[in-house]
């Protein structure tokens, strides 16, 4: 028994059926961590992209240095830093939030480059047309550049969403009970790792296929051509 769940060891099939509920509980934690981490990566990545595109080198260069530092250091090191170092300075976060934040920070370095490429792909003629219509720089960015950049960045962002999902098991080192950690605990208690780990692999396959299909549907639904100025 674990967390109130009982399992049947009489046969592999019975064992798989009995541990499915607790694995689904772990899967829910995995999905939550993926969503929170992805949202952090989207927001922080956009901030880094805007800062790196700033005309002032005093703003752009520090943002590029931070991006390179985040991208070139392992996720596990960043996770341990947030989990063990921040409490020494009075910043204590729950294990789940620490893990999701680490995922978001790690992938923000990559999403910032996706943002940059998407924004630069918007033709200068669009900006010039907006300027000719007396659009302010803010209005041009939010109503002209961004709507045309989004369809271009969706596939790459979808790839990073799947990558974040597959990196969630790293959070088990800071006691987050995501799906793989739950399967490991079940295996430790029953000395049978084949069934729970195989089920985790199958559940991950299902989740990644669903996420990839959703990204493809979104990519097909969004317009690929430039959005007319109004």
């Amino acid at each position: 028994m674990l967390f109130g769940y009982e399992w049947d060891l009489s046969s592999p099939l019975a064992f798989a059926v009995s541990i499915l509920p607790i694995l689904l509980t772990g899967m829910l934690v995995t999905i939550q961590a993926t969503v929170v981490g992805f949202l952090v990566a989207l927001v922080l990545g956009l901030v880094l992209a805007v800062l790196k595109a700033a005309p002032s080198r005093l703003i752009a260069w520090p943002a590029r240095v931070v991006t390179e530092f985040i991208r070139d250091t392992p996720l596990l090191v960043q996770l341990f830093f947030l989990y063990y170092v921040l409490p020494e300075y009075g910043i204590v976060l729950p294990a789940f939030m620490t893990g999701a934040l680490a995922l978001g920070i790690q992938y923000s370095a990559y999403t910032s480059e996706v943002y940059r490429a998407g924004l630069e792909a918007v033709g200068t003629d669009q900006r010039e047309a907006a300027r000719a219509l007396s659009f302010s720089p803010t209005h041009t960015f939010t109503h002209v550049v961004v709507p045309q950049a989004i369809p271009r960045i969706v596939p790459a962002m979808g790839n990073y969403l799947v990558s974040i999902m597959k990196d969630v098991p790293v959070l088990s080192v800071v006691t987050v009970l995501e799906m793989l950690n739950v399967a490991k605990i079940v295996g430790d208690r029953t000395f049978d790792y084949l069934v729970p780990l195989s089920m985790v692999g199958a559940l991950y396959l299902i989740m990644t296929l669903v996420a990839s299909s959703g990204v493809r549907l979104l990519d097909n639904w969004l317009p690929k051509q430039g959005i007319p100025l109004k």
Side-chain angles (χ1 to χ4, degrees), residues 18-214:
S18 63
I19 66 174
L20 181 59
I22 191 172
L23 290 181
L24 293 178
T25 301
M27 186 176 72
L28 178 60
V29 175
T30 298
I31 294 174
Q32 291 172 338
T34 300
V35 171
V36 175
F38 187 60
L39 291 177
V40 172
L42 289 179
V43 174
L44 186 56
L46 180 59
V47 172
L48 290 173
V50 172
L51 292 178
K52 287 189 293 184
S56 173
R57 291 186 176 182
L58 293 177
I59 298 176
W61 277 103
R64 292 171 184 167
V65 170
V66 169
T67 301
E68 286 299 320
F69 177 80
I70 293 173
R71 186 166 50 189
D72 296 337
T73 53
L75 170 61
L76 192 58
V77 172
Q78 297 172 14
L79 178 59
F80 277 1
F81 184 90
L82 294 175
Y83 190 74
Y84 292 108
V85 176
L86 290 186
E88 296 180 2
Y89 297 92
I91 304 175
V92 181
L93 299 174
F96 173 85
M97 188 56 62
T98 301
L101 184 61
L103 287 170
I105 292 174
Q106 168 75 197
Y107 278 91
S108 66
Y110 300 99
T111 58
S112 68
E113 289 301 305
V114 175
Y115 280 124
R116 180 190 61 79
L119 294 174
E120 290 180 353
V122 178
T124 56
D125 58 323
Q126 297 290 319
R127 295 181 174 87
E128 292 173 355
R131 192 179 303 112
L133 293 175
S134 300
F135 284 10
S136 67
T138 301
H139 189 80
T140 300
F141 181 79
T142 57
H143 289 75
V144 178
V145 177
V146 170
Q148 296 181 74
I150 289 177
R152 294 178 169 90
I153 67 177
V154 165
M157 289 299 188
N159 290 336
Y160 286 128
L161 172 64
V162 174
S163 295
I164 290 175
M165 182 183 297
K166 293 190 291 185
D167 276 347
V168 170
V170 175
L171 308 189
S172 63
V173 300
V174 293
T175 72
V176 175
L177 288 173
E178 46 73 44
M179 188 163 51
L180 182 61
N181 197 12
V182 172
K184 180 180 178 300
I185 294 173
V186 172
D188 291 341
R189 299 286 181 87
T190 62
F191 302 103
D192 185 345
Y193 292 93
L194 176 61
V195 173
L197 292 181
S198 298
M199 293 178 67
V200 167
L203 290 173
Y204 259 109
L205 178 61
I206 293 172
M207 289 193 299
T208 54
L209 289 176
V210 170
S212 299
S213 299

